[in-house]
Amino acid sequence: MLGALLPVLLLATGCGIRATDVVEAGEPATVEVAPAGQRGALVYFVSSSSASRLMPVIRTIIPPDGVEGGAYEDNRPNGASAPLYLLFEGPTRSEREAGLRSELPSGQVKAAVELSADGVKATVNLPVTGLSQAARQQIVCTAATASTADRTEVVTVTGTDGVIGPTRCAV
């Protein structure tokens, strides 16, 4: 009987491993999502496996040599608005083949993103109040990460027919 209890007692004592205090290890790790010298942007598309599940895609923003801010040669902004332009271009062929799609209208869209004391303000030149919930979240999540790395940023989207929000990215 004592022989049967001995393994249980040894397990209960933790095999001699002592507890330690918290060890400070410095700042959290950072990860480069774009090649060196280039900037990355998160753009949110809808997964074909679920009508409302958004998936982030990392896109590279390549500014022309020596340009900070301003516009690309194709008139697509290089600043905080660039991710929205990438969003409205829709998924690439490889992203579509991976099962991603967009519920947003495609085509030439003018967009602007700015930070304010009230959060992120996104403006697009198309109607927004009739968009599906997934399409709205595509804009909100992309705009929230366009200027910050914080998806919890409050976003207000203004379109030609009204305003969405203030709201937060639900991803």
Side-chain angles (χ1 to χ4, degrees):
M1 174 91 162
L2 182 59
L5 289 177
L6 187 57
V8 174
L9 288 173
L10 286 174
L11 285 174
T13 62
C15 299
I17 298 174
R18 295 185 185 131
T20 62
D21 292 332
V22 174
V23 176
E24 293 294 329
E27 296 295 317
T30 58
V31 176
E32 292 286 330
V33 296
Q38 299 174 358
R39 293 183 335 149
L42 284 178
V43 180
Y44 288 81
F45 292 116
V46 181
S47 170
S48 293
S49 65
S50 170
S52 61
R53 183 171 180 209
L54 295 187
M55 300 293 292
V57 173
I58 298 170
R59 291 281 184 87
T60 303
I61 301 173
I62 307 171
D65 290 338
V67 174
E68 287 292 326
Y72 285 117
E73 291 174 9
D74 65 0
N75 294 322
R76 180 175 51 197
N78 159 13
S81 302
L84 281 184
Y85 280 83
L86 294 170
L87 174 68
F88 281 98
E89 288 177 359
T92 63
R93 185 173 76 171
S94 62
E95 291 164 351
R96 286 190 306 272
E97 289 171 357
L100 298 177
R101 61 185 172 75
S102 179
E103 290 201 7
L104 293 167
S106 61
Q108 297 290 343
V109 174
K110 291 187 179 182
V113 174
E114 65 180 83
L115 283 177
S116 73
D118 299 326
V120 177
K121 293 185 179 189
T123 305
V124 293
N125 69 336
L126 59 92
V128 294
T129 60
L131 294 173
S132 70
Q133 185 60 28
R136 290 176 178 212
Q137 281 293 300
Q138 283 185 261
I139 297 172
V140 168
C141 293
T142 300
T145 59
S147 297
T148 69
D150 186 2
R151 286 190 323 259
T152 63
E153 195 78 42
V154 174
V155 177
T156 303
V157 179
T158 303
T160 58
D161 65 341
V163 177
I164 299 171
T167 188
R168 296 183 194 277
C169 177
V171 176

